[in-house]
Amino acid sequence: MLGLMQDTELTVDRILTHAATWHADREIVTREASGEITRSSFGAVHALAKRVSAALLRDGVQQGDRIATMGWNSARHLAAWYGVTNIGAVLHTLNPRLFLEQIAYIANHAGDRLLFADPMCAATVAQLLPHAPGIEKVVFLCDAATLPKTDYSAIAFDDWIADTGDDAAWGGFDERSACGLCYTSGTTGNPKGVLYSHRSNWLHANMTLQADALALSARDNVLMVVPMYHANSWGIVYSAPMVGAKLVLPGPKMDGGSIYRLIEDEGVTYSAAVPTVWQGLLQYIKSIGGKFSTLQRVTIGGSAVPESLVRTFRDDFGVDVVQGWGMTETSPLATMSSPSAEVAAMDADAQVAYKVKQGRLICGLEFKLIDDAGQRLPFDGRTPGRLMIKGPTIASAYYGGEGGDILDEEGYFDTGDVSTIDARGYMQITDRAKDIVKSGGEWISSIEIENIAVAHPAVAIAAVIGIAHPKWDERPILLCQLTPGETAEGKEVLAYLDGKIAKWWMPDDVLFVDEIPLGATGKIDKKLIRTRLEGYSLPFVS
């Protein structure tokens, strides 16, 4: 017997339409690259997104076409996001911080047809276009007055939509249709695409709105620090308009002073970002003797949260920190460190031990821990195992079939993390099966650096590991085993890497060793390397 309820497709156009209908005047504030503050609203962005849809349809964009964005958080970017998805095209976010070859690979693999770009990305776009011939048009997210001068054809966003109306039809397609595409780097091979559906984005937004998750409401003023190009924007592009929360979009300026002024000037009550952003903010506030007048809580994700950060926010400023964990493949939020009833009954110091864990599963998802033989391990808080996850917001495959079958026989996805889960349901990552270095909330592929370094004539074997850093969480160092008879200096190897990897991927140190240890299967034994480097510290910390 089936239920007797209406069957409505869960497509994300309904989210922005709801916001425009019931929260039309709720502000969307953007700090432009120039520093100017511009003000819009859900009603205005809805109308703008309609015009984006009309312009896309005019240019021949069809359902399923991939449309890329490369830009910072702004009202125009938000309008482009919904203008693309609401006609059934696929919004593909490009990270401008990636190295050119990675961006080109991703754009070509996705088959991007059109690119929305921030004017600050004009030079990167110039380098990209010769390597991405499928991109037919570049639209800069600006007006005519701030359109950058380029040697390639481009148009200002405001001019591109100038002759369109706001009556484009939205929706009308299956909720399982592709909605967004975001690429994640792995430890081997090329980046892999995670293809979100309208249904998964809708469910993820609803799941994260739970009181024990992001807990956003119409009474919140949300500073969306997490970039729109990063991991599906943590879903906040959907959850905030779903409840009518005010959105404050910071643009490219993420220094402590700039973030603090936005929080105070716009009455921000909630924000979400990686630890390095908050560390910079707290350093700035302490330097001026400032305080928060409206900020109540922050979500921190992307890297493990230091206990000192939790305590400083709570004890010095009265702000609650809730750690979130997830990955691109999980939409991304999957766990939150919100206190359970038992934990909430503990004293403040005892609660901190749980706040620094990655937290409890959001309802709708399932965990298991397994050993190397695939056998389930207990949730006792002591036994580490490979962390596996499944649910309606978890990837079932990578775009284009890359990586083959990524689920086990029970439908679980291997996160690549080694974790423990205690009896209260709190998950804590104890190690990474993947050897990606996390720096400032962004991932650095150790193997990609190794593969380039080993091409140096003097380098026989190369290994990259992450070393703890007080600001960036981790920074990479490079170990080199030289070819017999060859000599080299660290600066020579770094010069060889220069231009082949993103600057922020550049190792902080190069160590020459007599031997890089290999395991039984011939793979580099990074566990042994870390053991040998116990007590090592980076040559400088900035």
Side-chain angles (χ1 to χ4, degrees):
M1 179 183 293
L2 298 178
L4 301 177
M5 307 305 291
Q6 296 182 20
D7 191 8
T8 302
E9 300 290 348
L10 300 180
T11 51
V12 301
D13 57 283
R14 301 175 63 84
I15 296 174
L16 189 59
T17 297
H18 172 82
T21 301
W22 302 109
H23 307 283
D25 296 330
R26 200 70 162 109
E27 273 194 317
I28 298 175
V29 179
T30 299
R31 184 176 56 205
E32 307 291 348
S34 64
E36 178 189 5
I37 299 295
T38 59
R39 299 185 182 276
S40 186
S41 65
F42 282 119
V45 166
H46 178 273
L48 205 58
K50 281 278 189 176
R51 298 176 70 186
V52 170
S53 295
L56 290 169
L57 293 169
R58 177 199 63 205
D59 288 354
V61 171
Q62 300 179 8
Q63 184 177 345
D65 283 348
R66 277 74 66 203
I67 306 299
T69 67
M70 183 192 296
W72 314 110
N73 297 2
S74 69
R76 286 187 180 93
H77 194 172
L78 189 65
W81 185 300
Y82 276 98
V84 170
T85 60
N86 292 358
I87 58 171
V90 181
L91 192 285
H92 174 208
T93 51
L94 288 169
N95 184 343
R97 296 186 65 198
L98 293 177
F99 187 62
L100 175 63
E101 289 182 3
Q102 293 174 308
I103 298 174
Y105 172 82
I106 291 169
N108 288 321
H109 188 269
D112 295 330
R113 287 191 55 189
L114 185 146
L115 172 63
F116 291 99
D118 191 282
M120 291 182 66
C121 299
T124 301
V125 174
Q127 295 176 304
L128 170 65
L129 290 178
H131 304 286
I135 296 177
E136 303 165 6
K137 179 172 290 188
V138 176
V139 178
F140 280 106
L141 296 166
C142 64
D143 57 17
T146 54
L147 179 68
K149 294 181 180 179
T150 63
D151 294 331
Y152 52 90
S153 177
I155 187 171
F157 177 90
D158 291 7
D159 290 342
W160 179 67
I161 63 169
D163 62 351
T164 61
D166 58 3
D167 57 351
W170 281 352
F173 43 82
D174 193 299
E175 65 182 19
R176 289 172 174 79
S177 299
C179 180
L181 180 61
C182 187
Y183 279 73
T184 180
S185 297
T187 55
T188 58
N190 289 309
K192 297 177 178 64
V194 177
L195 191 61
Y196 309 108
S197 67
H198 283 257
R199 178 177 183 268
S200 71
N201 281 332
W202 184 286
L203 292 175
H204 180 264
N206 268 300
M207 290 158 64
T208 63
L209 287 173
Q210 296 173 29
D212 279 349
L214 300 186
L216 301 184
S217 77
R219 299 167 297 286
D220 276 313
N221 299 336
V222 176
L223 175 62
M224 199 168 79
V225 177
V226 58
M228 293 172 71
Y229 60 74
H230 181 71
N232 205 25
S233 192
W234 292 12
I236 297 174
V237 289
Y238 302 118
S239 55
M242 197 174 259
V243 297
K246 174 181 174 178
L247 272 177
V248 182
L249 307 176
K253 294 183 179 180
M254 299 295 182
D255 61 279
S258 297
I259 295 296
Y260 181 66
R261 284 190 291 274
L262 278 180
I263 290 173
E264 293 302 301
D265 292 347
E266 300 301 330
V268 169
T269 59
Y270 170 86
S271 189
V274 298
T276 51
V277 171
W278 299 123
Q279 288 166 340
L281 174 63
L282 292 178
Q283 289 171 3
Y284 174 78
I285 295 176
K286 289 180 179 179
S287 72
I288 65 169
K291 61 180 181 179
F292 296 115
S293 57
T294 59
L295 188 64
Q296 300 168 2
R297 64 196 193 283
V298 296
T299 297
I300 304 180
S303 297
V305 179
E307 182 176 326
S308 60
L309 199 60
V310 174
R311 290 185 180 276
T312 299
F313 262 117
R314 184 194 67 186
D315 300 340
D316 296 352
F317 300 102
V319 175
D320 187 37
V321 171
V322 179
Q323 183 171 185
W325 171 86
M327 53 201 310
T328 305
E329 292 93 336
T330 63
S331 290
L333 291 177
T335 68
M336 301 290 293
S337 65
S338 301
S340 64
E342 285 181 283
V343 172
M346 298 176 181
D347 63 50
D349 283 341
Q351 289 188 39
V352 172
Y354 289 89
K355 283 189 170 292
V356 297
K357 294 187 177 187
Q358 280 63 56
R360 300 181 292 126
L361 269 177
I362 297 173
C363 182
L365 305 178
E366 298 177 55
F367 267 157
K368 71 175 178 179
L369 294 176
I370 61 171
D371 60 19
D372 289 340
Q375 298 301 306
R376 285 181 180 252
L377 298 171
F379 295 167
D380 58 10
R382 300 185 306 274
T383 307
R386 296 185 69 90
L387 182 66
M388 313 288 287
I389 190 170
K390 73 175 180 178
T393 58
I394 312 301
S396 63
Y398 289 114
Y399 181 64
E402 300 292 327
D405 187 357
I406 64 173
L407 305 182
D408 71 3
E409 66 280 357
E410 294 181 314
Y412 282 85
F413 172 78
D414 187 344
T415 67
D417 286 321
V418 176
S419 309
T420 61
I421 301 174
D422 66 22
R424 295 187 174 96
Y426 282 83
M427 184 271 289
Q428 184 167 23
I429 295 171
T430 59
D431 200 357
R432 296 187 185 97
K434 302 175 182 179
D435 286 315
I436 286 178
V437 179
K438 272 192 174 181
S439 183
E442 297 284 349
W443 284 9
I444 298 174
S445 173
S446 60
I447 286 182
E448 184 163 345
I449 299 175
E450 291 162 2
N451 289 342
I452 297 172
V454 80
H456 186 286
V459 178
I461 305 175
V464 171
I465 65 168
I467 296 294
H469 189 286
K471 178 178 180 181
W472 301 112
D473 191 45
E474 283 185 339
R475 288 298 302 156
I477 66 166
L478 172 64
L479 289 81
C480 295
Q481 178 181 323
L482 296 180
T483 302
E486 295 287 345
T487 60
E489 294 182 0
K491 61 183 180 182
E492 296 175 32
V493 178
L494 293 177
Y496 183 79
L497 293 174
D498 191 23
K500 298 182 178 69
I501 60 174
K503 289 188 181 299
W504 57 279
W505 280 32
M506 194 65 67
D508 280 15
D509 199 8
V510 179
L511 304 179
F512 294 97
V513 295
D514 293 334
E515 178 190 48
I516 289 179
L518 303 179
T521 61
K523 295 181 180 180
I524 294 172
D525 188 344
K526 293 191 176 180
K527 182 178 180 180
L528 181 54
I529 290 175
R530 293 186 183 99
T531 299
R532 290 178 177 178
L533 286 176
E534 287 181 2
Y536 167 87
S537 59
L538 292 168
F540 61 91
V541 174
S542 59

